[in-house]
Amino acid sequence: MKAIEIKPGIYWVGVIDWAVRDFHGYVTPNGTTYNNYLAIDDQITLFDTVKHDFSEITVDNIKSLVDPSKIKNIVINHIENDHVSSIGDIMHLTPNATIYITNKGKKGLERFFDTSKWDIKVVKTGDTLSIGKKTLLFLETPMLHWPDSMMTYIKEDRLLISQDAFGQHYASAARFDDEFMNCFSVNELDDAIKDYYANILMPFGTLIKNKIAEVQKLGLEIDMIAPDHGIIWRKDPSKIINMYLDMANGKAEPKVVIIYDTMWRSTEQMTVPLMQGIRDEGVEVIVVKLRANPVSFAVKEFWKARGCLIGSPTLNNSIFPTVAEFLVYLKGLKPKNRIAGAFGSYGWGGGAVRDIYEDIKKMGLQTVEPGIQVNYKPSAEDQKLCYEFGRNFANKMKEYHAKFE
Ligand code: FEO
């Protein structure tokens, strides 16, 4: 896709990765984009690069606008490889450019590249750079997404170049929110935002709230947000800010997700009366089998729902491996404001349900106990108990959810 002017003199020069399905282990069913931007001013300035596999494409996009050797400044908002790994190719074309980056970014960049001949200037929150008619204001955003991260605000255009924050992994020919909604739907966009937030930014809710408050305190007027992934917010940037504030505050839908795996279908059979019990309490419920879905999908569904039931058969006195993988991944994401319970089948000693509770309690989730276990295969009586457990869990979820309304 060719360069696109997003503001007068500022161009998207990124690439669309239609094919990526594994983003460092996180499944991206809709691909992604690596967005970077070029400002044509007295000092031509590039904001971020792209994943190295695509460096030729971004260079061609730049060449369609200017000779890359004329780039004077390169702002590196984030040093993760999907954004910085083409910097070597870019510096080869414009070796005298000056790089603007945070202190932690500089240290990381030095680990990834031989920077000994590069002119690197460290910037911090509040520093500005005039590039001609436009003025850049740098805002450090540590841990959104890495310690090095920052955003760049262009005052004259009221444009926030936000790197990972406010992005989505979604490859589409639409570059802007309004274009996307004309081609797809708001639900698809919302789902992509929640997927991205759940899998990447869930641990950083407090930081996100503080950073948004800081930006508001600075009185920055924002009429466009241009992230490094997905669509650019030009029609309604307040939508993504409000969604981030909601998610940072732990907003969830009053529904239940049942996430499970199974060996000989006994634990799977338990999901049917559990689901029915939840449903009969008027609560929306969905069921996610881990061996049939990527763990990142399960985490997204976990994040969307206020309540989660986690099911595992006992294997070697503990949790089935796919369920254990889900729990390890979830623990790292530091989930908050969710209620959970556990269920599963066992043959002799049991252990899976016990160990799931141990894990979810360590995460600080609200729990409904005891969980429910069945020996070998759910009998008719077990199925009634599962149904009642589902009803009880749905009611506990409703009570818990009310605290957030
Ligand atoms: Fe899109 Fe943290 O990189």
Side-chain angles (χ1 to χ4, degrees), residues 229-248:
H229 296 290
I231 56 103
I232 296 163
W233 301 91
R234 76 172 170 191
K235 180 158 188 266
D236 189 9
S238 63
K239 172 185 166 67
I240 188 69
I241 292 173
N242 290 333
M243 275 189 78
Y244 264 53
L245 283 171
D246 283 346
M247 291 188 286

Side-chain angles (χ1 to χ4, degrees), residues 11 16 45 96 99 105 112 145 153-154 156-157 177 182 185 239 300-301 332 338:
Y11 295 82
I16 306 170
T45 301
N96 297 319
I99 291 172
F112 288 128
H145 164 227
Y153 177 71
I154 304 182
E156 293 74 11
D157 297 296
D177 51 350
N182 285 341
S185 71
K239 172 185 166 67
K300 175 185 70 173
E301 295 303 328
R338 300 295 186 276

Side-chain angles (χ1 to χ4, degrees), residues 369-384:
E369 295 182 69
I372 187 157
Q373 305 182 72
V374 303
N375 186 222
Y376 284 123
K377 180 179 188 308
S379 63
E381 184 57 30
D382 289 328
Q383 294 200 25
K384 278 188 202 152

